Amino acid sequence: MKRVGIYNIFFQGITISIFLFSGIPVQAGDPYAKIDRKITGYYYDPGTGTLIAKYDDLSPSEVEQYLWYTKNYVTVNAVRKASGSEIANVSVEYMKFLSAAQISSLTAADFSKLSDAQKSALSESQVQSLNMAEIPIANLPYDMIPKLSIQQIQSVPAFLFANLSAGQISELTKDQVGVLTNAQFSALSLQKRDAFSDAQIKALNVAAIDVNLLSNAKISSLSAAQIAVIPLANFKTLAANTAKFQSLTATQIGAVTTAQFTALTNAQLKTITPSQMAGVTNTQFAALTSTQRSQFTQSQVQGINTADVLISSLSTTQRSWLTDTQIQAIVNPTQFSSLSATQIPKLTAVQVSSMSNTNYTSLSTALRSAMTPEQVQALNTASVLIQNIPAAQRGSLSVAQIQAIASAAQFSYLSAAQITSLTGPQIKTMTNTNYAALSSAQKDAMTTEQVQSLNTASVLISNIPSAQLESLTQSQVQAITTTSQFQYLPNSKVGYISASNIRYLTASQIPSVTATQISAMTNTNYTAMSTTLRNAMTSTQVQALNTASVLISNIPAGQRENLTQSQVQAITTTSQFRYLPNSKVEYVSASNIRYLVAAQIPSVTSTQISAMTNANYTAMSTTLRNAMTSTQVQALNTASVLISNIPAAQRSYLTATQIQTIGNYNGTQYAAVPNSAVQYFSTTQISSISSQANFNTAFPASQDATRLRTLTQAQIMAIPASYYNSIKSRLSAAQLSWRP
């Protein structure tokens, strides 16, 4: 019945609601376990024109069910108490009163005893209470399958999928779907197949199921992996259905195997849409014959993904159809040479920068010339040799590009103005060949910093402009390895060369050599210099020579006059003293006079002579002693030098002071005093003669007339008394008169 109106009637405090009924169906249920409800009012049924009692707050339909329930209370109550195999005795009409607990307690044996009518009488909620761990899904009647819960559905075997509703199909797990056979899948209606979700479609085993059973919409849900394993026969069928084939996405097209792709007929290739062409891979495209590829239309070509497909596989006409976007999507720089001169300007800076020198040189002259200044500035000059860039375009190179040039052999292709942009490290990599390849204008354009970066161990300074040589640093000069290059140094840089390289200078450069450099020269360094170079030395330079090393015999005679006292005194090779000019003999020490020659001796000063010890004097040869002048003899320190060592002819030069300085009183030295000088003996010397024998040695009897008898009164008085009486007989009368 259907309620069409409500009327409320009041009887002595009791409200009566009047409802209009029209065919209200009795709904089974069990909210009515309470059977002692009280009448609280009445409903008016206009269909029968009678009043119906209202129990508590139940609605008219609930009242009708309540009255049915109370009438059948005993029977329903008995059903509620049935369990296990007893449930098989419940009539179909009362199956609906079984509780969820009673249903879930059914075993497989209990369930098998139920008739199909009893099973079919179970409501959806009752079916979903079945313990499916106990009762196999396969034992359910087909009409029960639609009542299963999601959890139950997910245990349904594949052969029962046809009994599921479209809604239930979508609840199947991927594992359930994955085991479907082609027969089982084809048994499903198109509506049910369309109910499969994308995830379920991707779980299908397309190696076993013919994908052509899928609708066009579902075909596009297949994964790339599934596309690749579609049996060739099935794929051909798919391709033959244009609508279905065009349902494939670009990604799916890209997953098509080479075998599948090459199986496409010319007609089928033409059906590939521009959007699908975006998925075609280079492997697929290359597998086609040139005839097959040539069939692709402009719209298809413009759908190609040029980031993968090599455009060199396209015909010239097809390449001309490429869009700017496609040109700018090319990632393989080997393909740029397949573009036309009008397409080259479309390349991005990133694309241009990806070109190696090989890529760039594969471009024709026309293609290179077609590049814009911005593209030229995008070239990676660390790889692309600028000699390959058209001369007219090199002017567009940026400072960064110039500074990225790795090969010094390329510097000669820069303009004079561009040369100044090269970095110090770049300049340093230049060999002499690289530098010599530069024009005069390019060399002249170099900055001071660049000149100072030249590697002079390689670059010959003779190739460097004269004005720039003034910029050379000390380290650059000292790095020169080609000795013939030193002659090109400006005088201002001569001071940087080592002592061993002075030999390579010219005579005009020699005066610029510093005293420090000269003093560092060894004898080997000096003798390596030519006579011309030595003669070019100034007096100051000569005075800087280290004579402890440089032999003065190697110094030109005229320059030896410039030697200083310290240089003479620094001479360690004794054979060199003989080469001293007479003017420098005065600087020789007393111990080295022995090494002079006779001609030099007269130049020895009195100061030098007076400093001589007896050892110094006796070290002189007889020739050298005989070469001494009277003045030099008179400078001898007789307190040290034994006069017995002085040549006899020179003793007459001795002064009274020298005689009186004789300190050896043994008689021998007194005997060496010439007769003419005996008178100079002091009384102290006379009195110090220690013995008669020493006295007789100093005054031998054979020389009494010229020696003893010339003694003065004071000298006679000084003779020791111990032996005076023994010599009295040898004295003259006058001498005896002084001392009786």
Side-chain angles (χ1 to χ4, degrees):
M1 292 186 296
K2 180 179 180 183
R3 188 177 63 189
V4 295
I6 302 175
Y7 297 90
N8 293 322
I9 301 175
F10 299 90
F11 291 104
Q12 298 179 350
I14 299 175
T15 300
I16 300 176
S17 296
I18 301 177
F19 287 78
L20 300 182
F21 291 92
S22 177
I24 298 177
V26 177
Q27 298 294 326
D30 191 17
Y32 319 112
K34 182 178 180 182
I35 62 174
D36 56 348
R37 294 180 181 275
K38 294 180 180 180
I39 296 175
T40 56
Y42 293 90
Y43 294 121
Y44 173 69
D45 184 356
T48 61
T50 60
L51 293 178
I52 301 173
K54 177 182 179 183
Y55 293 89
D56 292 337
D57 58 352
L58 297 181
S59 67
S61 61
E62 290 173 329
V63 168
E64 188 173 4
Q65 292 180 59
Y66 173 69
L67 293 175
W68 184 94
Y69 183 79
T70 55
K71 178 182 177 182
N72 297 282
Y73 172 74
V74 175
T75 303
V76 171
N77 202 35
V79 169
R80 288 290 176 81
K81 295 179 180 179
S83 64
S85 59
E86 296 174 344
I87 293 175
N89 298 320
V90 176
S91 66
V92 172
E93 180 184 8
Y94 289 94
M95 289 295 289
K96 59 189 175 186
F97 293 106
L98 292 170
S99 67
Q102 289 174 296
I103 295 295
S104 65
S105 69
L106 288 172
T107 65
D110 296 336
F111 189 76
S112 65
K113 293 177 182 179
L114 298 179
S115 67
D116 287 344
Q118 287 176 305
K119 294 176 183 176
S120 297
L122 293 174
S123 67
E124 182 175 310
S125 63
Q126 288 175 313
V127 170
Q128 291 179 1
S129 297
L130 288 169
N131 180 4
M132 302 314 296
E134 177 67 27
I135 301 171
I137 290 287
N139 291 347
L140 297 179
Y142 292 157
D143 58 353
M144 285 185 68
I145 296 298
K147 299 177 182 179
L148 295 174
S149 66
I150 292 175
Q151 183 178 3
Q152 291 171 316
I153 288 169
Q154 291 177 348
S155 63
V156 172
F159 70 87
L160 292 177
F161 289 176
N163 300 108
L164 296 175
S165 66
Q168 291 175 309
I169 286 290
S170 64
E171 304 297 342
L172 294 172
T173 66
K174 291 188 289 185
D175 289 338
Q176 286 175 292
V177 171
V179 298
L180 273 170
T181 65
N182 193 60
Q184 293 167 338
F185 191 66
S186 63
L188 299 177
S189 66
L190 180 59
Q191 180 189 14
K192 292 182 179 179
R193 292 198 293 268
D194 277 348
F196 277 76
S197 67
D198 285 351
Q200 289 173 315
I201 292 294
K202 288 179 171 58
L204 290 172
N205 178 9
V206 297
I209 293 174
D210 185 357
V211 295
N212 291 289
L213 294 171
L214 293 172
S215 65
N216 296 351
K218 292 302 178 181
I219 282 286
S220 62
S221 295
L222 292 171
S223 69
Q226 287 173 301
I227 294 292
V229 295
I230 295 174
L232 188 56
N234 291 348
F235 183 79
K236 288 180 179 180
T237 302
L238 171 64
N241 185 330
T242 301
K244 196 174 291 291
F245 184 53
Q246 291 182 338
S247 296
L248 294 175
T249 65
T251 301
Q252 290 174 314
I253 287 292
V256 172
T257 66
T258 301
Q260 292 170 327
F261 199 73
T262 54
L264 295 173
T265 65
N266 292 342
Q268 290 169 339
L269 287 172
K270 291 180 180 179
T271 66
I272 299 176
T273 66
S275 61
Q276 287 177 311
M277 287 296 291
V280 175
T281 67
N282 187 62
T283 301
Q284 294 169 327
F285 201 75
L288 299 177
T289 65
S290 58
T291 301
Q292 288 175 306
R293 292 195 293 266
S294 67
Q295 295 182 86
F296 288 114
T297 65
Q298 182 173 350
S299 61
Q300 287 179 307
V301 169
Q302 291 180 343
I304 289 174
N305 175 17
T306 53
D308 184 28
V309 176
L310 301 182
I311 64 170
S312 56
S313 300
L314 297 171
S315 68
T316 302
T317 300
Q318 288 174 321
R319 288 197 291 270
S320 70
W321 295 336
L322 294 174
T323 65
D324 291 356
T325 301
Q326 286 179 298
I327 292 171
Q328 293 174 352
I330 299 171
V331 294
N332 189 335
T334 63
Q335 298 300 292
F336 298 160
S337 60
S338 296
L339 296 171
S340 67
T342 57
Q343 291 173 315
I344 283 291
K346 307 296 183 182
L347 293 173
T348 67
V350 173
Q351 288 174 298
V352 172
S353 68
S354 71
M355 284 196 288
S356 66
N357 190 60
T358 301
N359 301 148
Y360 184 76
T361 54
S362 69
L363 300 180
S364 66
T365 301
L367 293 184
R368 296 184 216 176
S369 298
M371 281 192 170
T372 66
E374 292 74 21
Q375 288 177 315
V376 172
Q377 290 179 348
L379 287 169
N380 177 13
T381 53
S383 175
V384 176
L385 301 182
I386 64 170
Q387 70 183 64
N388 297 321
I389 301 174
Q393 292 181 330
R394 290 180 207 145
S396 298
L397 293 175
S398 67
V399 172
Q401 285 178 297
I402 292 171
Q403 294 179 346
I405 298 173
S407 172
Q410 298 299 296
F411 298 163
S412 61
Y413 295 98
L414 296 171
S415 67
Q418 290 173 315
I419 283 289
T420 59
S421 294
L422 292 171
T423 65
Q426 285 178 297
I427 295 292
K428 194 170 185 177
T429 65
M430 295 180 77
T431 63
N432 188 61
T433 300
N434 301 148
Y435 184 78
L438 299 179
S439 66
S440 296
Q442 288 173 312
K443 295 179 188 177
D444 289 339
M446 280 193 171
T447 65
T448 298
E449 292 73 17
Q450 288 177 317
V451 171
Q452 291 177 344
S453 294
L454 287 169
N455 177 13
T456 53
S458 175
V459 176
L460 300 181
I461 65 170
S462 57
N463 292 324
I464 300 174
S466 300
Q468 292 181 334
L469 290 175
E470 292 291 344
S471 299
L472 294 178
T473 64
Q474 180 174 352
S475 60
Q476 284 180 298
V477 172
Q478 293 176 345
I480 296 172
T481 55
T482 304
T483 56
S484 63
Q485 294 299 295
F486 289 109
Q487 62 184 306
Y488 299 103
L489 285 173
N491 289 341
S492 62
K493 302 301 175 182
V494 167
Y496 293 149
I497 69 172
S498 66
S500 61
N501 288 324
I502 293 174
R503 72 182 91 173
Y504 302 116
L505 298 174
T506 62
S508 62
Q509 292 172 303
I510 289 297
S512 297
V513 179
T514 66
T516 300
Q517 290 171 291
I518 296 293
S519 66
M521 293 180 75
T522 64
N523 189 61
T524 300
N525 299 151
Y526 183 77
T527 55
M529 294 172 64
S530 66
T531 301
T532 301
L533 294 186
R534 296 186 220 175
N535 286 330
M537 291 178 71
T538 65
S539 59
T540 301
Q541 290 175 317
V542 172
Q543 290 174 352
L545 287 168
N546 177 13
T547 53
S549 175
V550 176
L551 300 182
I552 64 171
S553 59
N554 295 322
I555 301 173
Q559 292 182 334
R560 294 178 201 157
E561 292 291 343
N562 296 317
L563 295 175
T564 64
Q565 180 176 352
S566 60
Q567 284 179 298
V568 173
Q569 293 175 347
I571 296 172
T572 55
T573 304
T574 57
S575 64
Q576 294 298 296
F577 289 108
R578 68 178 61 192
Y579 298 103
L580 287 172
N582 290 341
S583 62
K584 303 302 175 182
V585 168
E586 64 176 306
Y587 299 142
V588 177
S589 67
S591 61
N592 288 323
I593 293 174
R594 73 181 91 175
Y595 301 117
L596 298 174
V597 295
Q600 294 171 305
I601 290 298
S603 298
V604 178
T605 66
S606 295
T607 301
Q608 290 171 288
I609 295 294
S610 65
M612 293 180 74
T613 64
N614 187 63
N616 298 151
Y617 183 76
T618 55
M620 293 173 64
S621 66
T622 301
T623 300
L624 294 184
R625 295 184 220 174
N626 287 330
M628 292 178 70
T629 66
S630 59
T631 301
Q632 290 174 318
V633 172
Q634 290 174 354
L636 286 169
N637 178 11
T638 54
S640 174
V641 178
L642 300 180
I643 64 172
S644 59
N645 293 324
I646 301 173
Q650 293 180 332
R651 295 175 195 162
S652 62
Y653 302 146
L654 295 174
T655 65
T657 301
Q658 286 178 297
I659 296 299
Q660 293 172 1
T661 304
I662 297 172
N664 192 320
Y665 306 131
N666 61 13
T668 303
Q669 296 305 306
Y670 289 176
V673 175
N675 295 338
S676 60
V678 167
Q679 60 183 314
Y680 299 138
F681 282 129
S682 68
T683 57
T684 300
Q685 288 176 305
I686 294 296
S687 65
S688 297
I689 298 175
S690 58
S691 66
Q692 178 70 51
N694 286 335
F695 189 86
N696 290 336
T697 299
F699 300 96
S702 60
Q703 297 182 26
D704 282 348
T706 56
R707 289 182 69 79
L708 182 62
R709 293 171 188 169
T710 62
L711 293 177
T712 65
Q713 181 178 1
Q715 290 174 315
I716 291 297
M717 295 302 292
I719 296 172
S722 60
Y723 47 80
Y724 174 74
N725 292 329
S726 64
I727 62 167
K728 288 173 61 177
S729 59
R730 296 167 54 191
L731 299 175
S732 65
Q735 291 174 316
L736 287 173
S737 67
W738 300 332
R739 186 176 178 178

